[in-house]
């Protein structure tokens, strides 16, 4: 049974920082791509950042230079460090994962977390 358990998030003023964590359970963590999506009210879901089994990362243009995704293989988790947060970063953030097929995290991953709210004012 695959589980993605998110933590972090919360409220912060513009220019501040937050860190999101996602712990993976129930599958062979090292062979999976993982990442973060976000969805704001009345907006489409956006793939924010991803990291594959070889530690290659990808970022949405809207967060490049501000967000950093990393893997902690010992803890079977990923982290998303979000700096210089802006009001437009306000959204529910979802951790996602799927097997690494060689082309990075897709737009419809197989597994999802419950989501965590990030509010920037």
């Amino acid at each position: 049974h695959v589980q993605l358990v998110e933590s972090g998030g919360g409220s912060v003023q513009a220019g501040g920082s937050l860190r999101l964590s996602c712990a993976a359970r129930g599958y062979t963590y090292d062979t999976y791509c993982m990442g973060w999506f976000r969805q704001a009210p009345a907006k489409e879901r956006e793939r924010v950042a991803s990291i594959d089994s070889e530690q290659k990362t990808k970022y949405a243009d809207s967060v490049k230079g501000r967000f950093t995704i990393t893997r902690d293989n010992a803890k079977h988790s990923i982290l998303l460090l979000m700096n210089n947060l802006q009001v437009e970063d306000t959204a529910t953030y979802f951790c996602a994962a799927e097997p690494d097929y060689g082309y990075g995290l897709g737009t419809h991953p197989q597994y999802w977390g419950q989501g965590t709210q990030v509010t920037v004012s």
Side-chain angles (χ1 to χ4, degrees):
H1 177 60
V2 175
Q3 279 188 306
L4 298 175
V5 181
E6 299 137 333
S7 61
S11 297
V12 67
Q13 291 189 335
S17 299
L18 286 173
R19 187 176 75 168
L20 304 182
S21 178
C22 176
R25 300 176 184 141
Y27 63 89
T28 309
Y29 166 86
D30 292 352
T31 64
Y32 273 59
C33 289
M34 297 185 70
W36 294 92
F37 288 71
R38 68 184 180 186
Q39 187 157 24
K43 291 188 178 180
E44 291 188 359
R45 186 175 65 192
E46 177 184 26
R47 184 175 50 197
V48 175
S50 64
I51 187 165
D52 69 11
S53 62
E54 296 181 352
Q55 306 276 0
K56 292 194 294 288
T57 59
K58 293 182 181 179
Y59 297 94
D61 288 342
S62 57
V63 306
K64 279 181 181 176
R66 300 187 298 122
F67 290 13
T68 302
I69 188 170
T70 57
R71 290 179 83 117
D72 185 338
N73 288 336
K75 296 182 179 179
H76 287 196
S77 65
I78 60 170
L79 300 175
L80 184 68
L81 178 59
M82 304 182 291
N83 292 323
N84 191 21
L85 283 160
Q86 304 299 312
V87 172
E88 52 265 32
D89 295 317
T90 296
T92 301
Y93 284 69
F94 297 89
C95 179
E98 65 181 2
D100 190 344
Y101 299 113
Y103 51 75
L105 189 67
T107 55
H108 295 84
Q110 186 173 359
Y111 302 109
W112 293 86
Q114 293 297 309
T116 185
Q117 180 66 33
V118 171
T119 302
V120 186
S121 59

